[in-house]
Amino acid sequence: MKKVIHTDKAPAALGPYSQAIEINGVLYVSGQIPFVPETMILVSDCVKAQTRQSLENVKAILEEAGYSMKDVVKAGVFIKNMDDFAAINEVYAEYLGDVKPARACVEVARLPKDVKVEIEVVAVK
């Protein structure tokens, strides 16, 4: 049975998709960009601040569904500039360093709203 997950503690979807979908004990969290949920405004131009906000948004969705960062088994990190890889990893490790989920990190030509980072995860209970 498919369950749609939504929380006001993460930014509203910018298009026709859900913040997350849970099915059979697996939670698929849509890519989160670094918008502050209350204002829907970019947190900062700083890539570390953007990474932190994206992960806070992921965390809020996980918690709404009854999961935690420890339940993350796969992450996808989309970045605007591979030169930011080390800075992004530094913040990423604060949130997922002990968990060490499988991960892909890809440089992309452009992200929604011209942000520098977008992060999606899959979590399993």
Side-chain angles (χ1 to χ4, degrees):
M1 182 181 317
K2 181 169 80 169
K3 181 179 178 184
V4 175
I5 306 299
H6 173 79
T7 179
D8 291 334
K9 294 179 181 176
L14 297 176
Y17 59 90
S18 300
Q19 289 175 327
I21 296 290
E22 182 181 34
I23 189 163
N24 298 328
V26 180
L27 184 69
Y28 301 90
V29 179
S30 294
Q32 294 300 302
I33 61 175
F35 277 24
V36 176
E38 298 82 15
T39 63
M40 290 298 288
I41 295 174
L42 181 63
V43 68
S44 166
D45 192 46
C46 169
V47 73
K48 284 185 176 183
Q50 287 194 21
T51 303
R52 184 168 281 106
Q53 185 64 55
S54 293
L55 287 163
E56 283 295 325
N57 295 340
V58 165
K59 184 178 172 186
I61 294 167
L62 288 167
E63 290 174 352
E64 179 68 25
Y67 292 75
S68 75
M69 293 300 241
K70 292 180 181 182
D71 297 317
V72 174
V73 297
K74 175 78 168 86
V77 181
F78 306 93
I79 62 178
K80 190 172 183 176
N81 186 338
M82 197 55 79
D83 291 339
D84 292 331
F85 185 76
I88 290 167
N89 272 342
E90 186 179 322
V91 177
Y92 178 92
E94 292 174 23
Y95 287 81
L96 292 160
D98 293 336
V99 178
K100 291 187 178 59
R103 185 182 93 172
C105 182
V106 181
E107 181 182 73
V108 296
R110 195 165 180 204
L111 289 164
K113 303 293 185 179
D114 292 318
V115 300
K116 294 180 179 179
V117 63
E118 179 175 1
I119 300 172
E120 66 179 8
V121 301
V122 176
V124 178
K125 282 190 181 180

